[in-house]
Amino acid sequence: AWLFAAPPQSNNVIQGFVYLRDNTPIESAVVVLQGSCIEGGRETTTGRNGAYRFTSLPPCEYVVQVLYGHVAVSRRVVIRGR
């Protein structure tokens, strides 16, 4: 699985897409967001087009992890303060 996390926007959003190596979107993959500034983390699943989105995030360094079958892929994303 491939994980794409778009750069955070000014409204403190982390969003992106999850694809197979052949660019097929992965539906219903579990996406976990962890960071020291959000207790317990957050979790969502990808939609039909492989999209995920987390909103209202405080400035922090996050790890976005995708779990799909026996595969786990992760990426660091930073939201900077103003």
Side-chain angles (χ1 to χ4, degrees):
W2 291 101
L3 165 65
F4 172 73
Q9 300 170 355
S10 60
N11 56 354
N12 295 347
V13 171
I14 293 176
Q15 61 187 355
F17 297 90
V18 181
Y19 295 101
L20 294 173
R21 292 190 188 273
D22 66 0
N23 290 328
T24 302
I26 298 176
E27 182 179 3
S28 300
V30 176
V31 183
V32 179
L33 182 70
Q34 297 176 328
S36 61
C37 54
I38 54 170
E39 187 174 331
R42 295 192 190 171
E43 185 175 304
T44 190
T45 55
T46 55
R48 277 184 78 185
N49 63 349
Y52 66 90
R53 180 177 171 98
F54 296 99
T55 61
S56 303
L57 299 170
C60 190
E61 181 174 318
Y62 295 93
V63 174
V64 180
Q65 183 176 36
V66 174
L67 308 170
Y68 181 71
H70 298 288
V71 176
V73 179
S74 63
R75 180 171 179 187
R76 292 191 183 279
V77 178
V78 176
I79 294 180
R80 302 197 187 284
R82 295 179 190 246

